[in-house]
Amino acid sequence: MSKPAPLQAEVDHLVVAGRTLDECVQWCEATLGLVPGPGGAHPLMGTHNRLLPCSGQGFARCYLELIAIERGRQPLRAKGLRRWFDLDDEALRATLQRQGPRLIHFAARVPDAAKAVHALAGGTPGIDRGAVIEASRDTPAGRLEWRITVRDDGQRLMYGALPTLIQWGAVHPTDSMPAVPLELVSLAACHPRAELLREAYVRIGLAGVDVQRGAPNLVATLRTPRGLVTLESEGH
């Protein structure tokens, strides 16, 4: 009897959050020297975004997501359930208020989200990455459909170093994005429990993300019109 194929996760996108989407756009222009492309709204979460492709060597079909809560819009998610990426967390909100938009998280693309969630839960200790929910939005290039892990409490886990898992349908956002001079060069995670984080990456087959022991941090280096730019979460 043949063994099931091992999981192979890839970095799908970096998540930069801000208090408002306008602040995210201003940050992008000032920091990266680029105006982000269009994105869309997520009625389920009451958020909206703008996107920029940043595929690079070892990071195929990768993009940068700038995301914020959409003011005046209540999420359609059941009452008591929090938004994704810790966007309802008061500490994170205070950081975005004080320091402006910043890198907070990343998502890993997997061929089977349910299988990847099971792989994380089955380790020692087991990791609850959350339920796999269906999501979609319409774009000028067609409808995007995906499956994504979201915990009821909205937590990113491990200060954002443990990726949200995403499984795309037939269309990926980068398929219709015009090329821009932005490239992800490297991604690294720092965490006091580095061994656990490394093991979690192995369980889902994620390679190419360096893991180091230390204070929580997520570090992405990008090649931009302004030269090499390093983004850090600094534990928030």
Side-chain angles (χ1 to χ4, degrees):
M1 185 176 179
S2 61
K3 293 183 178 180
L7 287 166
Q8 290 187 322
E10 300 176 273
V11 175
D12 187 73
H13 63 275
L14 307 178
V15 180
V16 170
R19 286 192 317 143
T20 70
L21 202 52
D22 285 343
E23 286 188 5
C24 287
V25 171
Q26 293 168 11
W27 170 91
C28 191
E29 293 183 60
T31 305
L32 306 179
L34 292 165
V35 177
H42 315 111
L44 185 65
M45 296 291 167
T47 58
H48 54 169
N49 66 8
R50 299 277 295 268
L51 310 176
L52 270 175
C54 62
S55 301
Q57 186 174 359
F59 300 101
R61 304 180 92 188
C62 191
Y63 66 96
L64 177 69
E65 176 182 33
L66 307 168
I67 191 168
I69 291 173
E70 188 172 3
R71 291 182 175 178
R73 181 182 291 275
Q74 290 299 314
L76 298 181
R77 209 169 188 218
K79 188 176 181 180
L81 302 186
R82 294 195 158 200
R83 294 175 175 89
W84 47 23
F85 309 148
D86 273 322
L87 292 179
D88 286 317
D89 180 75
E90 291 302 325
L92 178 59
R93 286 189 180 193
T95 297
L96 299 179
Q97 169 81 28
R98 186 174 62 252
Q99 300 181 10
R102 66 190 308 103
L103 175 68
I104 63 164
H105 193 35
F106 76 104
R109 183 171 60 249
V110 293
D112 188 327
K115 185 177 178 181
V117 166
H118 181 74
L120 287 175
T124 305
I127 298 173
D128 179 8
R129 181 59 282 182
V132 178
I133 66 172
E134 306 280 343
S136 64
R137 67 178 177 86
D138 292 316
T139 76
R143 189 172 181 82
L144 287 174
E145 298 179 324
W146 66 96
R147 307 182 75 208
I148 188 168
T149 56
V150 184
R151 289 168 55 99
D152 288 350
D153 59 15
Q155 287 187 16
R156 294 164 289 164
L157 297 182
M158 301 187 80
Y159 296 92
L162 184 71
T164 286
L165 306 175
I166 190 166
Q167 176 186 345
W168 289 99
V171 180
H172 189 269
T174 59
D175 294 344
S176 58
M177 290 182 190
V180 298
L182 183 66
E183 178 185 352
L184 179 59
V185 176
S186 66
L187 181 62
C190 192
H191 195 274
R193 302 184 68 186
E195 294 83 1
L196 175 60
L197 187 58
R198 287 193 193 98
E199 182 185 343
Y201 287 1
V202 169
R203 290 184 209 170
I204 60 174
L206 178 64
V209 181
D210 185 40
V211 178
Q212 301 173 6
R213 180 190 298 277
N217 200 8
L218 194 61
V219 183
T221 300
L222 298 109
R223 185 171 289 112
T224 81
R226 299 190 184 284
L228 289 179
V229 172
T230 299
L231 308 179
E232 298 190 53
S233 65
E234 297 180 353
H236 298 291

